[in-house]
Amino acid sequence: QGRSKKKSRKHQRFMERRVLLEQKGLLSPQRHLGSQAPVEGPEARSTLTKVGSTVTSRCRKVPKSKEVVSPSLSPSASPDRIARHHSALLSQGNGSSKGVRMSSLCLRPGKYVAIDCEMVGTGPQGRLSELARCSVVNYDGDVIYDKYVQPELPIVDYRTRWSGITKQHMESAIPFKAAQAEILKILKDKIVVGHAIHNDFQALKYFHPKDRTRDTSRIPMLNQKAGLPGRANVSLKSLARHLLHKKIQVGCKGHSSVEDAQTAMELYRLVEVQWETELARSLPPRPPSPITDLSTDSSQYMDDQYWPTDLMTSGL
């Protein structure tokens, strides 16, 4: 009997504090579910009208439901359509669903760049590879950076047949440190596309975040589209011939880093939607968001330890 009295007093204090929180606007009024059958039809509209101007005004402004974008967007979609698709995926839901767990960086085409570097031989017998030219293009393939770079060590082998670099190019080259600072400024916070891109980062003496790197030599979807083994190490030249129907890296004058960067971006865009969706599925689950809705879990805050001082001294 004494235990029931103690429980009754605690419940009474609980209810008094709930009323006080409701009066101060810190807690939504308690709903008594099941006490009244749901009203439908014209009676419901008349009941809402009698409640007051606040409810009536809210009912007039009913927001339109967001259009749900299917994750299976056509690969032939335009760049603008793809950008809208990514933005819509990010705006839907709370991010807990794998279907919408897109990378936070897949926001718009301005976040994408493609890079390609040409290297020359330095060191003993020219076996070391150092940066001699770097080209960066944007999502549309427009050149935003293209400069010749003076290696830190003397050049032993220009590798002109592959690099396209000659002694004359070095006359207008800028020091490596200066080029590195300029390039890394461009790459910051970007999704970087390239083919065998680890070689380019090695030449830049730089490590780009893995989740912001898109290596077209490691996208099985491209190989499958070209009718090649999914895990095969296919060259950029071969992928361009099979999928883009264009010839690159021809002749004896060497490669063009601009052309290679543009080609890598074109290849990436062929499978962009499918590849990003696959990456989103492979991302680890995000930690649960903190509870912000008091009405869903308000009972814990009725305990004394959670009460502000001003409420404790207000008479209860």
Side-chain angles (χ1 to χ4, degrees), residues 22-80:
E22 291 175 358
Q23 291 175 351
K24 290 181 175 291
L26 299 176
L27 190 66
S28 59
Q30 186 175 12
R31 298 179 181 178
H32 299 282
L33 300 176
S35 61
Q36 184 177 359
V39 183
E40 298 179 358
E43 296 180 4
R45 290 192 291 272
S46 61
T47 304
L48 286 175
T49 307
K50 293 177 183 179
V51 172
S53 59
T54 305
V55 177
T56 306
S57 62
R58 288 179 182 175
C59 290
R60 289 196 192 104
K61 299 179 180 179
V62 180
K64 295 182 179 179
S65 59
K66 293 182 179 179
E67 179 185 357
V68 179
V69 180
S70 171
S72 57
L73 188 63
S74 171
S76 60
S78 65
D80 292 338

Side-chain angles (χ1 to χ4, degrees), residues 131-142:
L131 182 66
R133 183 185 180 185
C134 181
S135 302
V136 183
V137 302
N138 62 15
Y139 186 82
D140 296 315
D142 301 323

Side-chain angles (χ1 to χ4, degrees), residues 243-261:
L243 298 176
L244 304 176
H245 307 292
K246 71 174 187 179
K247 297 180 180 180
I248 63 171
Q249 302 175 355
V250 294
C252 300
K253 294 184 179 180
H255 303 176
S256 166
S257 52
V258 170
E259 184 180 52
D260 289 355

Side-chain angles (χ1 to χ4, degrees), residues 99-281:
V100 262
R101 202 185 299 140
M102 302 295 287
S103 171
S104 60
L105 302 162
C106 298
L107 299 176
R108 55 188 181 276
K111 281 290 183 180
Y112 294 81
V113 295
I115 189 173
D116 188 75
C117 298
E118 301 297 342
M119 278 74 82
V120 293
T122 63
Q125 301 179 0
R127 292 179 179 175
L128 295 179
S129 293
E130 287 199 54
L131 182 66
R133 183 185 180 185
C134 181
S135 302
V136 183
V137 302
N138 62 15
Y139 186 82
D140 296 315
D142 301 323
V143 178
I144 57 179
Y145 189 90
D146 183 29
K147 290 185 180 181
Y148 292 98
V149 182
Q150 181 68 53
E152 294 181 302
L153 296 176
I155 299 175
V156 177
D157 185 358
Y158 284 93
R159 304 177 184 174
T160 306
R161 182 179 175 182
W162 298 277
S163 69
I165 305 295
T166 64
K167 187 176 181 179
Q168 288 72 25
H169 291 138
M170 291 298 101
E171 295 176 1
S172 59
I174 65 174
F176 171 78
K177 290 294 184 183
Q180 183 190 48
E182 294 173 351
I183 297 164
L184 298 193
K185 188 175 181 181
I186 295 172
L187 302 187
K188 183 181 179 182
D189 298 328
K190 296 289 196 305
I191 294 178
V192 184
V193 180
H195 194 83
I197 200 170
H198 60 280
N199 293 322
D200 303 305
F201 291 150
Q202 186 176 2
L204 285 167
K205 299 180 181 180
Y206 168 69
F207 293 96
H208 198 68
K210 186 177 180 180
D211 62 331
R212 300 184 185 187
T213 302
R214 305 292 183 266
D215 191 341
T216 54
S217 71
R218 298 180 180 273
I219 303 182
M221 298 171 191
L222 283 174
N223 292 9
Q224 293 166 8
K225 258 186 171 314
L228 302 169
R231 296 296 176 182
N233 189 11
V234 184
S235 67
L236 183 66
K237 181 177 181 178
S238 180
L239 287 174
R241 185 175 69 254
H242 282 89
L243 298 176
L244 304 176
H245 307 292
K246 71 174 187 179
K247 297 180 180 180
I248 63 171
Q249 302 175 355
V250 294
C252 300
K253 294 184 179 180
H255 303 176
S256 166
S257 52
V258 170
E259 184 180 52
D260 289 355
Q262 291 171 336
T263 302
M265 181 62 82
E266 287 182 67
L267 289 170
Y268 168 74
R269 288 177 59 174
L270 282 179
V271 293
E272 178 181 3
V273 175
Q274 300 98 310
W275 183 236
E276 293 300 335
T277 303
E278 185 67 29
L279 287 178
R281 288 176 183 154

